[in-house]
Amino acid sequence: MVGIDGSEAAAHAATWAALEAGARGLPLRLVHVIAEEAAETAPTQPDLGVEYAETVLRDVDLLLREKASELKVETAMPHGPPGSALIDESREAAMVCVGSVGIGCLSRAIFGSTAAELAQGAHCPVAVIRAHGGTGAARGWIAVAVDHTPGDDLLLEHAFREAQLRDAPILAIESKPWRRVGRHTLRIEHWASRYPGVRIRLTPLRRGLPDALGQIGEPVQLAVIGKHDADDVPRIVGLPDVGVIEPAGSSVLVVRD
């Protein structure tokens, strides 16, 4: 499922999600939430909220058909606050995606609406797809932080799946580098055996994941985190690219049981 608001970032998120849906053999549901004020338009006035929703959904549908003609696309136009409506829609979704061009300095105030609500409250994994300078998500590593606890398996499963799907290497950031087998920890070795074509690199985590990503010096296209780290999403997504020579920030996948 993808939240569509008419922006280029949302269209890029839909393109990202189309690959995901196609690999899973699932339809892709495009959702535009009609705000409550638009839903309260007087009966004698044109329902501009519905007209706009139909237009932006049709535009993204056409874009996806050009890129993946075999993909089944569904659309929905629920009414209400965007965050609450998308959380409700997420009950039946395998994953929900939204687009972002970066988070402003008042990250909590700006980000604290739709995407933050989803990261904290959705009933499925949430992908916040970062678009840079009008382009889609950058190429680069799939980053995942591991601390050698049972919770790593869920993160590693999603990280390896995305790495294989997107032909990307994995950067496993270790908070407790121990119990190694060759270059890999025992848990990573297990998942590496299931995805033998995925390249892996280990690096120590000396500070929090957002700081570690900023110090790597190489592009990270997606960071995979657990729901307990959802508050880190604004820092990982990063600031908008206004006046920036080297774009920073990456997309984030928040996974949950």
Side-chain angles (χ1 to χ4, degrees):
M1 183 188 88
V2 187
I4 301 298
D5 61 4
S7 67
E8 288 189 14
H12 288 309
T15 301
W16 189 94
L19 184 60
E20 192 81 35
R24 298 184 185 213
L26 297 173
L28 182 60
R29 186 173 176 84
L30 307 178
V31 179
H32 177 88
V33 180
I34 300 175
E36 290 175 322
E37 56 269 22
E40 295 170 356
T41 302
T44 56
Q45 296 178 329
D47 195 337
L48 299 180
V50 172
E51 290 183 7
Y52 180 73
E54 291 175 340
T55 298
V56 298
L57 290 172
R58 182 173 59 251
D59 289 346
V60 176
D61 185 16
L62 291 173
L63 173 67
L64 295 177
R65 291 185 186 282
E66 291 177 359
K67 295 178 177 293
S69 59
E70 72 286 351
L71 181 68
K72 181 180 179 181
V73 177
E74 303 172 349
T75 60
M77 298 182 295
H79 294 72
S84 298
L86 290 175
I87 288 173
D88 189 56
E89 290 278 337
S90 76
R91 293 179 185 276
E92 303 298 325
M95 180 183 292
V96 56
C97 302
V98 291
S100 174
V101 293
I103 311 305
C105 294
L106 299 176
S107 61
R108 259 337 226 173
I110 297 172
F111 185 76
S113 54
T114 305
E117 284 185 66
L118 283 171
Q120 294 283 1
H123 301 280
C124 63
V126 175
V128 181
I129 304 305
R130 173 70 194 260
H132 289 285
T135 64
R139 298 287 298 172
W141 295 90
I142 304 290
V144 57
V146 294
D147 57 8
H148 309 296
T149 64
D152 286 352
D153 284 322
L154 183 63
L155 299 178
L156 289 168
E157 178 183 5
H158 282 271
F160 272 90
R161 180 188 299 154
E162 293 300 328
Q164 183 180 68
L165 178 61
R166 302 179 191 283
D167 191 24
I170 283 182
L171 182 66
I173 305 174
E174 299 180 281
S175 59
K176 301 173 184 176
W178 61 293
R179 297 185 68 192
R180 291 178 179 273
V181 175
R183 293 183 303 113
H184 308 149
T185 65
L186 291 176
R187 291 188 184 279
I188 295 176
E189 182 73 10
H190 165 73
W191 289 102
S193 68
R194 297 184 61 175
Y195 294 86
V198 174
R199 183 164 61 93
I200 311 159
R201 190 178 92 189
L202 298 180
T203 188
L205 175 63
R206 296 185 177 88
R207 302 179 65 182
L209 181 60
D211 292 322
L213 294 176
Q215 295 169 0
I216 289 169
E218 298 179 51
V220 173
Q221 63 171 291
L222 181 70
V224 180
I225 65 174
K227 63 180 180 180
H228 55 282
D229 292 321
D231 285 343
D232 286 336
V233 169
R235 294 182 62 204
I236 295 173
V237 171
L239 295 170
D241 293 338
V242 179
V244 176
I245 298 176
E246 291 293 336
S250 69
S251 300
V252 187
L253 175 60
V254 184
V255 304
R256 48 185 29 88
D257 296 333

